[in-house]
Amino acid sequence: MDKALISLAEETAEKLKAAGVRLVIAESCTAGLASQAMGATSGSADFFSCGVVSYTEDAKQRVLGVKAESLAQYTAVSQQVVSEMAEGIKALAQEAVGLAISGYAGPDDAEDGTPAGTIWFAWSLPNGGVVSEHMLFKDEPEQVIVQAASHALRRLGELLV
């Protein structure tokens, strides 16, 4: 696993522990990489509860509670859907912090024209707020996935301060 990603997971773990909260993660395009990094961190049960990989729209609806209307109107790679994913995983696991990642790693653009490397992120925070943003990573799909998982954990650490 990428050493920089492990380092970010360790830093994020310290911030989660300091806040006294546990993280849950819903991932699509990153296929569990952010969860794997958190789980590989020493003492992970103290700050990481669970992760769900939901590639299909059906899984996003059934497991995470994403609305069919949101998927139809906005697509799976959107602010609306990723925010619902973050809230859904948080509610499912009954933890204080939810993180969601959804995007197109590439190599080709999505059928709807969304450029390869477009990734949406959402963080559902202990205070009830949801922060979302998107990034466009220009790289090979494998590197886009690592960059997306890294960004998600780095930004979570910033939001927990």
Side-chain angles (χ1 to χ4, degrees):
M1 182 177 300
D2 184 84
K3 289 182 182 184
L5 180 57
I6 291 292
S7 179
L8 278 170
E10 290 169 348
E11 291 171 20
T12 303
E14 290 304 316
K15 292 179 180 174
L16 288 162
K17 287 191 286 189
V21 295
R22 282 198 184 106
L23 170 65
V24 291
I25 304 175
E27 298 181 72
S28 187
C29 64
T30 49
L33 185 60
S35 295
Q36 184 181 3
M38 293 306 295
T41 302
S42 179
S44 57
D46 293 336
F47 52 82
F48 177 60
S49 177
C50 69
V52 170
V53 175
S54 60
Y55 267 179
T56 66
E57 290 185 1
D58 186 50
K60 287 174 178 63
Q61 289 176 64
R62 284 185 295 112
V63 178
L64 300 173
V66 172
K67 297 174 191 157
E69 299 82 18
S70 298
L71 288 160
Q73 184 173 352
Y74 302 106
T75 79
V77 181
S78 66
Q79 179 180 18
Q80 182 67 31
V81 168
V82 80
S83 295
E84 290 180 27
M85 289 171 63
E87 290 279 283
I89 190 70
K90 185 176 164 180
L92 178 68
Q94 298 181 359
E95 296 291 356
V97 182
L99 161 61
I101 308 167
S102 187
Y104 295 109
D108 300 319
D109 293 348
E111 290 178 15
D112 66 4
T114 301
T118 301
I119 313 292
W120 272 97
F121 305 89
W123 300 267
S124 180
L125 302 170
N127 66 6
V130 177
V131 174
S132 59
E133 63 188 38
H134 77 281
M135 301 284 291
L136 179 60
F137 300 104
K138 302 253 185 197
D139 214 328
E140 294 299 315
E142 297 83 6
Q143 288 307 309
V144 168
I145 291 167
V146 171
Q147 291 170 34
S150 298
H151 177 76
L153 296 180
R154 180 182 314 106
R155 187 74 173 108
L156 175 60
E158 295 168 359
L159 292 168
L160 288 171
V161 171

